[in-house]
Structures are given as C-alpha cells and as structure tokens.
C-alpha cells in the first residue's frame, strides 16, 4: 500500500471517528435536555403504566434543565454540578404524569421510610402550589373539587381504613391515613409558613427540600441554617405526587412534597413493553406486549 493510500485510509478512519463522536455527543445532549427513555420497575402507576413498560419523557415542557451531574454515562461514576433551568412552556398541573427526582430531604428515614435521591420517579401530579388537597374514602378532592380516578387507575373501596385511624407512616404526621388524608395546603413560592399555624413536619420538609439545614428550636421556633426563626418564606413551588394504583403507591402521602427543582419532565408515551417478571432476557423478547407499545400516557 502506497503512502498516499495509507493517508487516505487514516483520513477515512478519522472522519468516521469524528462522525461517531458527533453522534454520541448529540445523543447525550438530546438525552440531557429534550427527551429521555425510562424503565418502570414498580406497579405504583398500574395500569396506566405497567411494570415492564419503557416510556419516553418530555424534558423541555417544564423547562430544560442543564445537566446537574457529570460523569460516565449509564454508570454512577461522576459528580454533581450546579444547574440552571430554562423557562418552560408550562408548569406541572393537576392530572399531569410527571417524572421527577426523588425528594432528598433530611427528615429521618424512620419517619418516611427509605429513600434514594438518585432515582427518578413517575407519578401523577394531584395538587400544585396554592391548592388544598384532602382524601375522603379514597376519593381525592383538590380545592373541594373531586379529582376522579384515572381511567386505568386502581382504588378498591372493599378495603378502607377507618377515618379515625392514624397511619404511622403517613407524612406529615397528623394527616390521617392513605384513605382519609388532609386537608393539606401545598406551599407556593412566596408563601410564608408560620410555624405556630402550619404542620411543623411539613415546614421542616419544605425547608430542607429547598436546601437549608433545619433543626428543632425552642418555643415554637426552628433553627434554619443555625438561626432561630418562627416563620419561613418558601423559595419554590411544591407539588403533591401520587400513583394511580392508590392502594399500592409509595408517594407524597408517605415521603412528602416534591419541589420544583426536582421536576424533570412529563411522561409522553410507552415505546416498548414486555413481561419484566421473566428472568431470562432473551425469553422476554417473546413476551412483548404489542398492545401497550406506542400508547400515549394520560
């Protein structure tokens, strides 16, 4: 092979490498800012979304977030970085199926159960900032208007907790149980939380989710970043998320609210679905669920 032919071959290989690199970078940018695929590992949204569904999420509808993590894609090797959210087309509203980062609050796990802030969750937004939520006999009311069970949701009234039963894991404490909850007003940016009037658990939840160190104080006060205070002005909008499978969903009834900063996007459609209970990956291909593929999520 002549030197000219060798140079042409090296140039062709270099062009192919640059082309592949451009594709990889484009895919990563697209994944980080516009659209991303998610697998559903739990049944909390049954049967709107089933275990084994793979969905696409719209990441720009609520405002594109710049990456908050830099590292090796599809691994846990990396580190967090400051991020910025661009203005969105709309805010999450009651009824939206929302993808969000699990709230990483500082409330003791013994109170709200185990949690992993690296996980993305998919739930339905039930109530947003400034709205008041209550649940009675599993029926949900937002600002005293009933929010109906979604078409593919689950909530059996054959098993109902008594209205007077205080469920131990319910959050915030004093809100009742999964079937009889509230009323709870969802904080909005700019709201003043007066610690003598609001549920103190909720106040601690909100303050910690907004990135502050909060500890018990004296005489109805809390210590926020080391300074005693008897009230707090909310910095963000907050949201109450709940699964469509209302009897089997670990959601805002148990671990509290979701701050705006944790919102990632809106669930769009199911692009692939198979029986994930099948342990053999190759056998799963023969257990595809074509009827669930390319279904719009609503």
């Amino acid at each position: 092979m002549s030197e000219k032919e060798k140079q042409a071959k090296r140039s062709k290989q270099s062009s192919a490498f640059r082309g592949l690199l451009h594709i990889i970078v484009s895919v990563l940018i697209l994944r980080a800012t516009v659209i991303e695929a998610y697998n559903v590992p739990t049944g909390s949204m049954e049967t709107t979304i089933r275990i084994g569904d793979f969905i696409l999420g719209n990441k720009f509808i609520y405002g594109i977030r710049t990456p908050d993590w830099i590292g090796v894609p599809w691994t846990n090797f990396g580190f967090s970085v400051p991020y910025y959210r661009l203005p969105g087309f709309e805010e999450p509203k009651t009824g939206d199926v929302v993808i969000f980062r699990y709230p990483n609050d500082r409330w003791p796990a013994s109170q709200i159960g185990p949690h992993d802030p690296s996980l993305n969750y998919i739930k339905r937004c039930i109530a947003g900032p400034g709205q008041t939520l209550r649940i009675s006999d599993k029926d949900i009311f937002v600002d005293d208007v009933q929010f109906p069970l979604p078409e593919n949701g689950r909530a059996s009234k054959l098993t109902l907790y008594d209205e007077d039963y205080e469920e131990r894991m319910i959050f915030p404490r004093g809100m009742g149980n999964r079937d009889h909850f509230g009323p709870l007003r969802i904080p909005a940016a700019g709201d003043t939380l007066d610690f003598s009037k609001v549920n103190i658990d909720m106040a601690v939840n909100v303050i910690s989710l907004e990135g502050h160190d909060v500890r018990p104080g004296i005489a109805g006060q809390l210590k926020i970043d080391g300074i005693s205070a008897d009230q707090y002005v909310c910095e963000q909008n907050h949201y109450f998320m709940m699964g469509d499978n209302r009897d089997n969903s670990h959601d805002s009834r148990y671990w509290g609210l979701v701050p705006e900063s944790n919102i990632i996007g809106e669930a769009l459609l199911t692009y692939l679905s198979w029986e994930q209970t099948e342990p053999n990956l190759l056998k799963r291909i023969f257990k595809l669920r074509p009827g669930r593929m390319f279904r719009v999520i609503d």
Side-chain angles (χ1 to χ4, degrees):
M1 182 181 294
S2 68
E3 185 63 29
K4 187 175 181 180
E5 290 174 328
K6 290 180 180 179
Q7 289 179 351
K9 183 177 180 180
R10 285 195 295 267
S11 177
K12 186 175 181 181
Q13 290 174 338
S14 177
S15 296
F17 176 77
R18 288 197 301 271
L20 178 61
L21 184 62
H22 289 161
I23 291 173
I24 293 173
V25 170
S26 297
V27 168
L28 292 177
I29 291 174
L30 186 69
R31 178 178 180 269
T33 60
V34 181
I35 198 165
E36 186 171 356
Y38 301 88
N39 174 226
V40 179
T42 73
S44 68
M45 283 293 290
E46 296 273 6
T47 55
T48 304
I49 302 174
R50 292 181 58 186
I51 296 174
D53 283 354
F54 291 76
I55 69 172
L56 293 179
N58 179 343
K59 300 180 74 171
F60 66 84
I61 188 72
Y62 303 136
I64 295 174
R65 286 169 51 119
T66 59
D68 59 4
W69 185 85
I70 294 177
V72 181
W74 300 289
T75 74
N76 291 324
F77 298 104
F79 55 91
S80 298
V81 296
Y83 74 93
Y84 177 75
R85 184 189 293 276
L86 299 174
F89 292 96
E90 59 183 61
E91 295 180 349
K93 59 185 182 297
T94 297
D96 287 356
V97 178
V98 178
I99 303 163
F100 57 93
R101 192 75 47 79
Y102 191 99
N104 181 20
D105 61 31
R106 299 184 178 91
W107 199 256
S110 59
Q111 296 286 347
I112 61 174
H115 53 278
D116 182 353
S118 69
L119 296 177
N120 290 329
Y121 272 36
I122 301 175
K123 306 283 185 187
R124 193 175 296 275
C125 177
I126 300 298
Q131 294 182 310
T132 298
L133 167 81
R134 67 180 175 89
I135 303 174
S136 178
D137 289 340
K138 294 188 181 178
D139 293 327
I140 294 174
F141 296 86
V142 179
D143 291 337
D144 289 328
V145 177
Q146 185 170 354
F147 177 73
L149 181 69
E151 181 181 358
N152 296 305
R154 293 179 177 178
S156 172
K157 292 203 173 185
L158 296 177
T159 56
L160 272 172
Y161 284 151
D162 186 82
E163 186 175 0
D164 297 325
Y165 170 57
E166 292 287 336
E167 191 174 355
R168 186 176 68 86
M169 295 300 291
I170 282 294
F171 185 88
R173 288 172 292 188
M175 285 290 111
N177 56 65
R178 71 177 191 189
D179 302 332
H180 297 274
F181 182 95
L184 178 69
R185 185 183 184 279
I186 314 303
D191 280 359
T192 297
L193 303 181
D194 186 331
F195 303 149
S196 65
K197 298 178 180 178
V198 301
N199 183 296
I200 200 67
D201 285 1
M202 185 199 70
V204 171
N205 179 239
V206 167
I207 296 167
S208 63
L209 286 172
E210 294 189 351
H212 299 284
D213 179 71
V214 55
R215 300 177 186 278
I218 59 173
Q221 292 186 328
L222 291 173
K223 278 195 172 183
I224 303 173
D225 297 328
I227 300 174
S228 294
D230 54 18
Q231 63 181 26
Y232 174 79
V233 178
C234 297
E235 300 168 357
Q236 298 186 40
N237 288 327
H238 291 258
Y239 299 87
F240 191 98
M241 305 294 184
M242 192 169 169
D244 286 357
N245 188 359
R246 295 179 183 175
D247 295 339
N248 294 284
S249 174
H250 197 233
D251 50 41
S252 286
R253 293 172 293 179
Y254 297 95
W255 38 250
L257 304 174
V258 177
E260 186 176 7
S261 57
N262 282 48
I263 301 293
I264 294 175
E266 182 180 20
L268 286 179
L269 58 83
T270 302
Y271 69 92
L272 175 67
S273 182
W274 59 22
E275 290 294 340
Q276 194 150 319
T277 53
E278 170 56 60
N280 188 302
L281 185 60
L282 292 177
K283 290 183 179 180
R284 287 186 194 176
I285 297 175
F286 299 98
K287 292 190 176 183
L288 288 173
R289 300 185 291 225
R292 295 195 59 81
M293 293 164 62
F294 304 107
R295 291 165 57 104
V296 175
I297 297 170
D298 56 20

